[in-house]
mmCIF file of all heavy atoms in Angstrom:
data_model
loop_
_atom_site.group_PDB
_atom_site.id
_atom_site.type_symbol
_atom_site.label_atom_id
_atom_site.label_comp_id
_atom_site.label_asym_id
_atom_site.label_seq_id
_atom_site.Cartn_x
_atom_site.Cartn_y
_atom_site.Cartn_z
ATOM 1 N N ARG A 48 87.935 38.415 58.690
ATOM 2 C CA ARG A 48 88.596 38.488 59.998
ATOM 3 C C ARG A 48 89.653 37.397 60.069
ATOM 4 O O ARG A 48 89.817 36.611 59.139
ATOM 5 C CB ARG A 48 87.576 38.317 61.113
ATOM 6 C CG ARG A 48 86.818 36.997 61.080
ATOM 7 C CD ARG A 48 85.844 36.894 62.244
ATOM 8 N NE ARG A 48 84.994 35.740 62.190
ATOM 9 C CZ ARG A 48 85.338 34.499 62.557
ATOM 10 N NH1 ARG A 48 86.552 34.256 62.997
ATOM 11 N NH2 ARG A 48 84.481 33.504 62.492
ATOM 12 N N LEU A 49 90.341 37.347 61.185
ATOM 13 C CA LEU A 49 91.284 36.264 61.440
ATOM 14 C C LEU A 49 90.595 35.184 62.242
ATOM 15 O O LEU A 49 89.815 35.476 63.150
ATOM 16 C CB LEU A 49 92.521 36.776 62.191
ATOM 17 C CG LEU A 49 93.371 37.801 61.456
ATOM 18 C CD1 LEU A 49 94.566 38.205 62.314
ATOM 19 C CD2 LEU A 49 93.835 37.280 60.106
ATOM 20 N N THR A 50 90.877 33.945 61.919
ATOM 21 C CA THR A 50 90.277 32.811 62.623
ATOM 22 C C THR A 50 90.820 32.768 64.039
ATOM 23 O O THR A 50 92.018 32.936 64.268
ATOM 24 C CB THR A 50 90.615 31.492 61.884
ATOM 25 O OG1 THR A 50 90.222 31.640 60.531
ATOM 26 C CG2 THR A 50 89.906 30.324 62.508
ATOM 27 N N GLN A 51 89.941 32.533 64.994
ATOM 28 C CA GLN A 51 90.324 32.606 66.405
ATOM 29 C C GLN A 51 90.663 31.260 67.032
ATOM 30 O O GLN A 51 91.273 31.221 68.096
ATOM 31 C CB GLN A 51 89.222 33.299 67.194
ATOM 32 C CG GLN A 51 89.031 34.726 66.744
ATOM 33 C CD GLN A 51 87.909 35.421 67.469
ATOM 34 O OE1 GLN A 51 87.234 34.848 68.308
ATOM 35 N NE2 GLN A 51 87.698 36.678 67.126
ATOM 36 N N ARG A 52 90.256 30.151 66.394
ATOM 37 C CA ARG A 52 90.571 28.846 66.968
ATOM 38 C C ARG A 52 90.472 27.772 65.890
ATOM 39 O O ARG A 52 90.031 28.032 64.779
ATOM 40 C CB ARG A 52 89.650 28.517 68.132
ATOM 41 C CG ARG A 52 88.183 28.445 67.771
ATOM 42 C CD ARG A 52 87.336 28.145 69.006
ATOM 43 N NE ARG A 52 85.947 28.025 68.637
ATOM 44 C CZ ARG A 52 85.057 28.998 68.705
ATOM 45 N NH1 ARG A 52 85.424 30.183 69.129
ATOM 46 N NH2 ARG A 52 83.818 28.797 68.345
ATOM 47 N N GLY A 53 90.865 26.581 66.229
ATOM 48 C CA GLY A 53 90.763 25.465 65.301
ATOM 49 C C GLY A 53 91.986 25.308 64.423
ATOM 50 O O GLY A 53 93.024 25.935 64.631
ATOM 51 N N ALA A 54 91.848 24.461 63.419
ATOM 52 C CA ALA A 54 92.971 24.124 62.533
ATOM 53 C C ALA A 54 93.505 25.318 61.758
ATOM 54 O O ALA A 54 94.663 25.329 61.362
ATOM 55 C CB ALA A 54 92.532 23.032 61.562
ATOM 56 N N HIS A 55 92.676 26.337 61.550
ATOM 57 C CA HIS A 55 93.075 27.525 60.784
ATOM 58 C C HIS A 55 93.330 28.744 61.683
ATOM 59 O O HIS A 55 93.305 29.878 61.194
ATOM 60 C CB HIS A 55 92.002 27.866 59.751
ATOM 61 C CG HIS A 55 91.858 26.841 58.674
ATOM 62 N ND1 HIS A 55 92.714 26.768 57.604
ATOM 63 C CD2 HIS A 55 90.964 25.836 58.507
ATOM 64 C CE1 HIS A 55 92.353 25.762 56.823
ATOM 65 N NE2 HIS A 55 91.294 25.179 57.355
ATOM 66 N N GLU A 56 93.576 28.516 62.954
ATOM 67 C CA GLU A 56 93.775 29.623 63.899
ATOM 68 C C GLU A 56 94.822 30.609 63.381
ATOM 69 O O GLU A 56 95.895 30.226 62.937
ATOM 70 C CB GLU A 56 94.214 29.090 65.262
ATOM 71 C CG GLU A 56 94.351 30.179 66.314
ATOM 72 C CD GLU A 56 94.667 29.613 67.682
ATOM 73 O OE1 GLU A 56 94.764 28.388 67.840
ATOM 74 O OE2 GLU A 56 94.814 30.424 68.611
ATOM 75 N N GLY A 57 94.452 31.896 63.421
ATOM 76 C CA GLY A 57 95.335 32.971 62.989
ATOM 77 C C GLY A 57 95.301 33.259 61.500
ATOM 78 O O GLY A 57 95.881 34.240 61.048
ATOM 79 N N GLU A 58 94.613 32.441 60.727
ATOM 80 C CA GLU A 58 94.530 32.643 59.279
ATOM 81 C C GLU A 58 93.365 33.577 58.934
ATOM 82 O O GLU A 58 92.339 33.565 59.609
ATOM 83 C CB GLU A 58 94.301 31.308 58.551
ATOM 84 C CG GLU A 58 95.447 30.352 58.618
ATOM 85 C CD GLU A 58 95.158 29.066 57.869
ATOM 86 O OE1 GLU A 58 94.351 29.067 56.906
ATOM 87 O OE2 GLU A 58 95.730 28.038 58.258
ATOM 88 N N PRO A 59 93.493 34.323 57.837
ATOM 89 C CA PRO A 59 92.368 35.123 57.370
ATOM 90 C C PRO A 59 91.236 34.217 56.897
ATOM 91 O O PRO A 59 91.478 33.150 56.317
ATOM 92 C CB PRO A 59 92.937 35.910 56.185
ATOM 93 C CG PRO A 59 94.392 35.691 56.181
ATOM 94 C CD PRO A 59 94.692 34.501 57.017
ATOM 95 N N VAL A 60 90.008 34.662 57.151
ATOM 96 C CA VAL A 60 88.834 33.921 56.713
ATOM 97 C C VAL A 60 87.761 34.900 56.261
ATOM 98 O O VAL A 60 87.644 36.000 56.807
ATOM 99 C CB VAL A 60 88.279 32.993 57.830
ATOM 100 C CG1 VAL A 60 87.818 33.792 59.045
ATOM 101 C CG2 VAL A 60 87.162 32.108 57.320
ATOM 102 N N ARG A 72 82.112 29.574 54.923
ATOM 103 C CA ARG A 72 83.320 30.358 55.130
ATOM 104 C C ARG A 72 84.381 29.882 54.163
ATOM 105 O O ARG A 72 84.359 28.740 53.721
ATOM 106 C CB ARG A 72 83.803 30.298 56.565
ATOM 107 C CG ARG A 72 84.049 28.914 57.105
ATOM 108 C CD ARG A 72 84.530 28.893 58.543
ATOM 109 N NE ARG A 72 83.641 29.615 59.427
ATOM 110 C CZ ARG A 72 84.029 30.189 60.565
ATOM 111 N NH1 ARG A 72 85.261 30.090 60.973
ATOM 112 N NH2 ARG A 72 83.156 30.829 61.308
ATOM 113 N N TYR A 74 88.644 29.999 53.490
ATOM 114 C CA TYR A 74 90.035 30.318 53.802
ATOM 115 C C TYR A 74 90.772 30.423 52.474
ATOM 116 O O TYR A 74 90.242 30.024 51.432
ATOM 117 C CB TYR A 74 90.652 29.213 54.663
ATOM 118 C CG TYR A 74 89.909 28.993 55.950
ATOM 119 C CD1 TYR A 74 88.935 28.004 56.063
ATOM 120 C CD2 TYR A 74 90.163 29.793 57.064
ATOM 121 C CE1 TYR A 74 88.237 27.804 57.237
ATOM 122 C CE2 TYR A 74 89.470 29.605 58.251
ATOM 123 C CZ TYR A 74 88.506 28.620 58.338
ATOM 124 O OH TYR A 74 87.820 28.427 59.493
#
Side-chain angles (χ1 to χ4, degrees):
R48 60 179 173 80
L49 297 180
T50 307
Q51 297 178 359
R52 61 181 182 265
H55 293 280
E56 184 175 359
E58 293 181 27
V60 62
R72 56 180 55 207
Y74 302 95

